[in-house]
Amino acid sequence: MAIGRSVPVRDAEARVRGAVAYLADLRLPGMLTAKIVRSPFPHARIRHLDPRPALRIPGVVAILTAEDFNRPGAPRLFYGVDRKDQPVVARDRVRYVGEPVAAIAAETPEAAEEAAQAIEVEYEELPAVFDPLTAAKPEAPRVHEDCPGNVFLHTRLRHGDLEAGFAAADLIVEETYTTPPACHAALEPHGVIAQWADGRLTVWSATQAPFVVQETLAELFGLPREAVRVIVPPLGGGYGGKGYVRLEPLTAVLAWKVGGRPVRLILERSEEFVTLTRHAAWIRIRTGVRRDGTLTARQVEVYWGAGAYADITPRLLRSAGLVRVVGPYRIPAVHVDAYGVYTNLPPAGPFRGTMSFEGAWAYESHMDTIAHALGMDPLELRRRNLLRPGDRFCTGEVIEEAFFWECLEAAARHVGWDQPYEKGEGMRRRGRGLAVMMKSTLPRSRSECRLVLRADGVLELHTGTVEMGQGAHTALAQIAAAETEIPLERVQVIGPDTAQVPYDATTSASRATSMMGAAIREAAARLKEEMRRRAAPLLEVDPEELILQGAGVTLRGRPEVWIAWEEVLRRHGLEALEAHGVFETQGGLDPETGQGIASPHWHQGAGACEVEVDIETGKVRILRYCAAAYAGRVINPALATLQNEGNMVFGLGQALMEQIFFDQGQPLNANMSDYQIPSLRDLPEVLESVLLESPEGSIHGLGEMTLPPVAPAIANAIFDAVGVRIRDLPITPEKIWRALHGE
Amino acid sequence: MRPEVLHPSTLSDALAALAAYGEEARPLAGGTALVLLLHHRLIAPRVLICLEEVRELRGFQFAEEGIRIGAMVRLQELARFPQIRERLPALALACREVGNIRIRNQATLGGNLAEADYASDPPIALMALEAILEVHGPNGPREIPISEFFRGPYTTALEPGELITAVRTPFPPPGSRMTYLKFRTRSAEDRPCLGVAALVAFEDGICRELRIAVGAACETPQRRPEVERLAIGRPLTEVVIRAIAQGYADQIETLNDLRGSAAYRKRMIEVHVRRALEEVRDGHRSFSAGAGC
Ligand SMILES: Cc1cc2nc3c(=O)[nH]c(=O)nc-3n(C[C@H](O)[C@H](O)[C@H](O)COP(=O)(O)OP(=O)(O)OC[C@H]3O[C@@H](n4cnc5c(N)ncnc54)[C@H](O)[C@@H]3O)c2cc1C
């Protein structure tokens, strides 16, 4: 069986040896280098922009400015997956430090660089606003003229009688938690190559969402979709930062201005910090609870700082931004108000654990505050309230597959939760903490694939799923092999290339293995059906009498009769046999009440840890961590474990050190020395991973499940160790030290 | 414009090249700092003078009174070299704590000193060891005590056209003990928020010599001899240790950066000077112990 086996990632060796051709390795004849001229101000009017001095520099081929969009036949200036509020290059106003105001195409990077210096731009600074709470005040400076108060969207979830819920409580706890902007810090930066030929556009992009890019570009240029082709080379990490549309519009329009030569844009590391960040979130959470630990009501108010452009935030706010901040609990009354707020910072968007990370930071830290106030064991408080199969979530959905308790209990067991425990008395104190989370996947989306069985016995899987080092192509090949019974070595994965593979929404939200996997299963069923239909006349029987086995066809009750699939194709004179598979999910929430279907299934993960805090310095060491996720069915145990461990390491960085610092909108640490991510030496001494399966379970994604619990589990352990509650991420030694020493 | 790279094999050729190109040339040692500066276009030299093959800058020399370390010796070599670990453990510890193995394998002692980044480890240990820098330039050789070398963040006493050729470190008085503590506030590969080097020599339980250097929390690595003197002629009791720790915290002007505020750093100086003194009072830190943080 190809499923359940730890086969190595298909391109693992090539990646390690440096033989994988990333976008930066592609060389096209006549290729030009692109360079972006960026705003130095967080908010300013562009008084004057003159590209002419730069045009005189030898090697400069074209310079794109907002002027170009006035030409007849020009593409549209504005784009955006929801609100079309973002210009390809700024027209008369810049709204964040780093916003593109012009783009250069040149023969060499040096010429492009020189041109970038030579372009004259005169700005007139405008008042700016940076944090979402201040920005949402009516008197705040406006980031967009047409959006007073800067709140571009307010969504609501209304479930049960909130007042009655709070009235029934013995205790009401209210707290505020915040998370700062952070950088995805994928090893590979963003990169795009765009080329026009005969009115058709080809784009090579390090993107997680080739079909969204295709659609956006087609719309921008007023072309049919087929006129835009998007090819995705293997990515060096994404984490959401390469989701939706990033630099493709700018590169494609620059290439349009150039004419026929390909134009390549690859960001420098510093530019990564002003391209897309995690939301700056401010979360107020208020919960009513009975003395016995029963939750009676919860009210959550979230300000999502979206930066200067709405990007994907509105779409997130209609579901994820509501349901991912509540927690996997049975609560009779829940109200959520989510605000999408413009600020003069770079746009925010998807970020591994999108909005669940921020949500769990608040609700899981909060659960421990409640447990402490009640004098109850934090695990016990959760046990009493966690959603069980058949319970109703605050969206009105009945949760069928619910393993929250099992995940949490497994994680707790691994750190010896029920055993006696020494916290220590000296400079170093120990504590334990745990957390659990629930995350929706995309409510309405579609994945398609094509299986092509060739006469030489190779099975091609055509898929839009992006391989970014997570091993998706390996897992999908395993599913295709298992469903068709063709040996794994004979499965070839092709794509993503919009000209070659059928539609897929995106590789994000931990949906690829689960959704594309389901599409593959359907395609495999069709392929087998087709095979039966073709084989029947050859064996002179009815299709119903045939059994498909080991990539061949045999007769019911007569195993000696067997022909290989290739043979069937050959006898029919067929070069290949094709089958198409589609998997689609439905759903969505009512915009006024947040009731409906938020997710086809729920991601579930937990974590428990033991930490040591140096009370003289505030420094924290994670001694032991266990990450437990509900996997449904595990396709590849080794890769699944790596996802769990990766989540832990990623979460550790978010919990303890990662933050982009902005001073009046200027990023202060836009490089990898000043923006620190965890190193291997930061890992806990013991790191364990648990993957829960269930015989009837569907395949669940694993890319994010155990990430959101990391920060609150650590914060809860710190509280347990030294009695200090940190509510603003990241948890730096200095914050702990200040809390301990009353400064 | 890519700079041209020269590969002199003798010190005199290197100095001649430096003299010939003047401001337009930069010596290139391990390149770990220089290449970042080039990449970020903070400098644009026309010529790089690679010091890799310059014979005079290589290797160690041992003498009765101390060790002479060539400017091109890698930090990882210093961290591993048995005699350094044995005789100058504070230096070995400080080098071992630098960045990560990739950086240590490439970065040189001369480059580390010449870069003069305030958040560096080796200079702090060298301050406590009273190292002397050997420098060659257009006017011949000269010596600079390390206490006079750092003039501020990224500024040193080097004159144009001068190269650090070696670092001479006298052996400490017999029976001395020393340590280096690095305090990081972010990743385990971060530069220091604070570094403390301590050296103590006892005679019959009485402190004959005490040296404490503090760095990374301030613009240059520093010692406070008037505070060190509080220990001389006394046993290193808890009271003395605390007074010294307090003295260092009070007297060093700390700085603010993303690794910590000035106020926090003052308190961390107090904690780490105390911890370093407790450690040297109780004996050398063993080498197999974990990272010093
Ligand atoms: C990721 C990272 C982490 C780091 N972490 C730490 C840390 O934790 N602690 C720490 O102390 N340091 C740290 N560093 C800094 C590192 O130690 C220095 O970059 C290194 O020591 C410089 O040595 P180099 O040989 O690479 O010098 P180069 O980069 O080659 O040169 C540095 C400068 O010195 C000049 N120079 C070099 N040699 C000489 C000479 N002999 N005479 C005169 N001038 C000379 C060069 O012209 C240049 O200006 C880190 C660096 C990086 C990149």
Side-chain angles (χ1 to χ4, degrees):
Chain A
M1 212 32 198
I3 283 189
R5 251 172 59 203
S6 292
V7 299
V9 172
R10 303 201 130 200
D11 59 357
E13 184 167 337
R15 282 195 187 249
V16 172
R17 291 191 184 279
V20 165
Y22 292 101
L23 185 112
D25 299 311
L26 298 182
R27 293 279 181 280
L28 302 180
M31 192 160 74
L32 300 170
T33 298
K35 172 89 198 160
I36 299 176
V37 180
R38 295 177 180 275
S39 164
F41 297 110
H43 199 187
R45 218 183 304 285
I46 301 178
R47 290 252 300 266
H48 174 76
L49 193 161
D50 188 2
R52 281 169 307 178
L55 276 169
R56 288 192 286 268
I57 292 167
V60 171
V61 176
I63 296 175
L64 177 73
T65 68
E67 279 291 297
D68 292 301
F69 293 81
N70 301 334
R71 284 162 42 191
R76 295 190 193 162
L77 179 61
F78 289 92
Y79 70 101
V81 283
D82 195 275
R83 288 169 74 94
K84 302 212 176 323
D85 60 357
Q86 186 164 9
V88 175
V89 285
R91 170 164 277 159
D92 39 26
R93 207 159 154 184
V94 287
R95 298 186 172 85
Y96 66 92
V97 173
E99 177 161 9
V101 294
I104 297 148
E107 301 286 352
T108 61
E110 289 78 11
E113 183 60 43
E114 203 184 327
Q117 310 293 332
I119 291 181
E120 288 168 10
V121 195
E122 244 177 73
Y123 297 93
E124 177 192 327
E125 273 201 82
L126 297 169
V129 64
F130 307 107
D131 86 279
L133 216 53
T134 316
K137 299 220 165 86
E139 69 277 13
R142 285 186 198 180
V143 179
H144 291 262
E145 262 332 314
D146 61 355
C147 188
N150 296 314
V151 174
F152 55 81
L153 186 64
H154 171 193
T155 56
R156 300 167 183 83
L157 184 147
R158 298 290 181 261
H159 170 76
D161 184 340
L162 195 70
E163 264 180 49
F166 280 121
D170 293 318
L171 178 72
I172 296 174
V173 180
E174 181 180 313
E175 292 177 287
T176 301
Y177 288 88
T178 68
T179 60
C183 182
H184 302 79
L187 195 52
E188 177 203 34
H190 288 81
V192 185
I193 301 173
Q195 180 170 31
W196 285 85
D198 308 325
R200 300 171 74 86
L201 170 63
T202 304
V203 168
W204 292 258
S205 178
T207 177
Q208 294 174 237
F211 287 91
V212 180
V213 169
Q214 181 194 36
E215 187 184 332
T216 304
L217 292 177
E219 203 182 312
L220 201 69
F221 289 99
L223 290 172
R225 272 194 196 202
E226 309 75 63
V228 178
R229 178 177 180 187
V230 180
I231 302 169
V232 186
L235 266 59
Y239 312 117
K242 295 168 183 167
Y244 297 93
V245 185
R246 298 291 147 229
L247 297 154
E248 295 87 356
L250 181 138
T251 318
V253 180
L254 183 59
W256 166 81
K257 186 158 186 196
V258 163
R261 293 175 67 180
V263 173
R264 179 177 90 155
L265 174 69
I266 293 185
L267 292 193
E268 298 199 9
R269 183 55 63 183
S270 60
E271 296 179 287
E272 289 288 309
F273 292 81
V274 294
T275 295
L276 192 76
T277 71
R278 187 176 66 203
H279 291 87
W282 183 96
I283 306 181
R284 178 154 56 200
I285 182 164
R286 187 162 171 257
T287 302
V289 61
R290 289 221 191 86
R291 226 173 294 285
D292 67 359
T294 311
L295 302 180
T296 60
R298 175 163 285 177
Q299 185 178 16
V300 190
E301 206 185 344
V302 199
Y303 286 80
W304 296 106
Y309 297 104
D311 205 272
I312 190 62
T313 306
R315 224 184 259 183
L316 289 172
L317 246 55
R318 289 186 201 108
S319 182
L322 296 169
V323 302
R324 293 181 187 171
V325 299
V326 176
Y329 301 107
R330 209 180 319 108
I331 314 175
V334 176
H335 281 196
V336 184
D337 286 273
Y339 302 89
V341 191
Y342 284 131
T343 61
N344 292 110
L345 292 181
F351 197 105
R352 193 176 189 178
T354 304
M355 294 188 166
S356 299
F357 176 82
E358 296 88 331
W361 167 240
Y363 65 70
E364 283 303 276
S365 298
H366 185 60
M367 283 303 272
D368 268 42
T369 301
I370 295 170
H372 183 71
L374 293 173
M376 190 178 276
D377 178 291
L379 181 63
E380 177 58 19
L381 175 67
R382 288 173 174 84
R383 192 188 63 80
R384 293 188 187 191
N385 292 285
L386 279 171
L387 291 166
R388 305 291 175 131
D391 280 345
R392 223 171 256 288
F393 186 49
C394 62
T395 52
E397 283 157 277
V398 173
I399 309 291
E400 302 291 356
E401 250 181 312
F403 291 86
F404 302 103
W405 169 249
E406 287 77 1
C407 288
L408 186 63
E409 197 273 331
R413 189 159 15 91
H414 275 78
V415 299
W417 193 263
D418 53 354
Q419 275 144 45
Y421 184 64
E422 270 306 317
K423 289 191 183 176
E425 290 176 340
M427 281 171 339
R428 298 202 160 84
R429 306 287 170 84
R430 290 181 172 209
R432 295 188 300 196
L434 43 75
V436 55
M437 75 102 219
M438 92 188 273
K439 182 174 191 284
S440 51
T441 182
L442 299 187
R444 247 193 315 257
S445 75
R446 193 169 87 243
S447 287
E448 297 177 29
C449 75
R450 190 185 303 118
L451 288 175
V452 180
L453 179 70
R454 298 195 323 224
D456 61 2
V458 167
L459 180 72
E460 292 178 0
L461 164 60
H462 296 202
T463 175
T465 294
V466 175
E467 176 58 62
M468 42 196 161
Q470 84 280 46
H473 283 189
T474 306
L476 294 179
Q478 284 181 268
I479 295 173
E483 294 293 335
T484 56
E485 293 186 48
I486 286 178
L488 184 57
E489 310 75 62
R490 275 161 54 186
V491 181
Q492 229 176 56
V493 182
I494 291 181
D497 172 351
T498 58
Q500 275 196 56
V501 306
Y503 177 85
D504 174 50
T506 159
T507 304
S508 61
S510 302
R511 64 185 289 289
T513 312
S514 135
M515 299 262 317
M516 189 56 77
I520 293 171
R521 186 169 329 161
E522 195 195 277
R526 291 207 181 144
L527 187 70
K528 290 198 272 193
E529 194 44 49
E530 187 62 19
M531 186 53 68
R532 224 183 247 118
R533 209 172 60 75
R534 301 271 181 178
L538 300 178
L539 297 171
E540 299 174 341
V541 293
D542 278 348
E544 295 78 57
E545 290 172 61
L546 294 176
I547 299 177
L548 300 178
Q549 217 170 49
V553 185
T554 177
L555 272 182
R556 206 177 291 278
R558 289 186 55 200
E560 72 281 7
V561 182
W562 187 89
I563 56 170
W565 288 18
E566 303 99 282
E567 185 60 22
V568 177
L569 263 66
R570 239 188 319 271
R571 294 235 217 130
H572 279 284
L574 287 172
E575 303 237 317
L577 206 57
E578 281 191 21
H580 191 171
V582 184
F583 187 75
E584 200 160 3
T585 53
Q586 300 297 339
L589 299 180
D590 179 278
E592 289 307 311
T593 63
Q595 300 300 294
I597 309 254
S599 189
H601 65 216
W602 293 88
H603 293 314
Q604 314 178 21
C609 65
E610 184 182 335
V611 307
E612 185 178 83
V613 183
D614 182 329
I615 56 171
E616 288 187 320
T617 64
K619 181 126 177 157
V620 175
R621 212 152 56 100
I622 319 293
L623 303 174
R624 193 182 186 96
Y625 195 99
C626 176
Y630 174 64
R633 274 164 72 204
V634 176
I635 309 297
N636 184 319
L639 290 186
T641 302
L642 282 173
Q643 284 297 327
N644 254 4
E645 293 177 354
N647 276 321
M648 158 61 204
V649 183
F650 198 93
L652 183 84
Q654 309 297 321
L656 299 181
M657 59 193 88
E658 293 188 45
Q659 167 171 18
I660 309 178
F661 287 93
F662 290 98
D663 178 17
Q664 294 299 303
Q666 304 285 345
L668 296 181
N669 56 339
N671 62 68
M672 298 308 290
S673 331
D674 295 321
Y675 182 95
Q676 294 259 311
I677 61 172
S679 77
L680 281 180
R681 284 167 60 204
D682 288 293
L683 293 195
E685 283 153 30
V686 182
L687 174 54
E688 287 160 307
S689 158
V690 175
L691 296 159
L692 292 165
E693 292 187 271
S694 136
E696 316 83 66
S698 56
I699 296 170
H700 277 223
L702 289 171
E704 307 166 279
M705 280 67 276
T706 45
L707 166 60
V710 177
I714 293 174
N716 291 340
I718 293 169
F719 182 83
D720 184 45
V722 294
V724 156
R725 172 62 60 194
I726 303 297
R727 297 188 177 85
D728 305 298
L729 283 179
I731 311 167
T732 61
E734 184 163 349
K735 282 183 195 165
I736 296 177
W737 180 85
R738 281 179 190 281
L740 275 169
H741 298 267
E743 283 196 33
Chain B
M1 281 289 286
R2 271 171 201 280
E4 185 190 344
V5 186
L6 305 180
H7 295 273
S9 55
T10 64
L11 181 59
S12 57
D13 285 355
L15 289 170
L18 260 184
Y21 291 97
E23 299 261 283
E24 292 187 310
R26 275 278 194 149
L28 170 68
T32 58
L34 195 70
V35 171
L36 281 177
L37 294 176
L38 288 172
H39 189 77
H40 293 305
R41 290 177 280 273
L42 295 172
I43 54 169
R46 201 151 69 81
V47 176
L48 293 179
I49 301 168
C50 176
L51 304 179
E52 193 72 63
E53 278 145 42
V54 177
R55 277 191 306 275
E56 293 89 333
L57 307 185
R58 292 200 201 144
F60 301 92
Q61 277 161 356
F62 291 89
E64 195 75 359
E65 61 290 348
I67 299 182
R68 185 176 177 279
I69 304 162
M72 284 301 289
V73 169
R74 259 60 192 193
L75 299 183
Q76 184 66 3
E77 282 179 78
L78 285 169
R80 315 246 337 234
F81 203 71
Q83 273 129 310
I84 303 267
R85 288 162 71 124
E86 199 180 307
R87 305 292 299 268
L88 305 170
L91 179 59
L93 281 167
C95 292
R96 191 183 71 171
E97 296 294 338
V98 168
N100 56 56
I101 186 69
R102 298 166 301 284
I103 296 298
R104 291 193 297 275
N105 271 337
Q106 185 61 23
T108 65
L109 187 61
N112 183 282
L113 291 166
E115 189 201 5
D117 190 309
Y118 68 87
S120 295
D121 299 290
I124 304 168
L126 291 173
M127 278 286 282
L129 294 170
E130 301 186 337
I132 292 155
L133 275 61
E134 293 182 6
V135 169
H136 276 74
N139 304 322
R142 66 179 178 124
E143 293 183 348
I144 311 175
I146 186 142
S147 56
E148 292 165 24
F149 182 73
F150 297 104
R151 297 284 164 86
Y154 309 103
T155 33
T156 68
L158 284 179
E159 298 286 339
E162 281 188 328
L163 283 178
I164 301 172
T165 49
V167 176
R168 247 185 17 243
T169 307
F171 288 132
S176 17
R177 298 167 177 175
M178 63 179 87
T179 191
Y180 177 74
L181 297 187
K182 174 170 184 169
F183 179 61
R184 299 179 187 82
T185 49
R186 305 182 301 181
S187 94
E189 294 187 356
D190 200 4
R191 287 169 173 268
C193 170
L194 165 70
V196 174
L199 180 153
V200 64
F202 291 111
E203 229 176 81
D204 301 329
I206 300 297
C207 185
R208 286 287 158 230
E209 179 151 13
L210 178 73
R211 304 183 206 155
I212 298 168
V214 165
C218 35
E219 294 194 340
T220 57
Q222 300 191 22
R223 282 176 63 187
R224 286 287 178 272
E226 64 284 9
V227 180
E228 290 171 348
R229 272 195 291 276
L230 293 176
I232 307 304
R234 303 198 180 136
L236 212 47
T237 60
E238 204 56 36
V239 176
V240 173
I241 288 177
R242 285 189 184 267
I244 293 171
Q246 181 74 49
Y248 266 82
D250 289 348
Q251 294 203 15
I252 287 178
E253 197 183 324
T254 49
L255 52 76
N256 259 313
D257 66 14
L258 299 181
R259 296 183 195 92
S261 70
Y264 178 63
R265 280 180 147 120
K266 266 198 183 286
R267 304 286 54 102
M268 291 308 102
I269 290 177
E270 187 178 349
V271 169
H272 289 88
V273 167
R274 196 200 75 225
R275 288 185 182 180
L277 288 178
E278 287 168 354
E279 209 174 289
V280 289
R281 180 194 61 198
D282 301 338
H284 273 317
R285 182 132 60 105
S286 96
F287 248 86
S288 54
C293 52

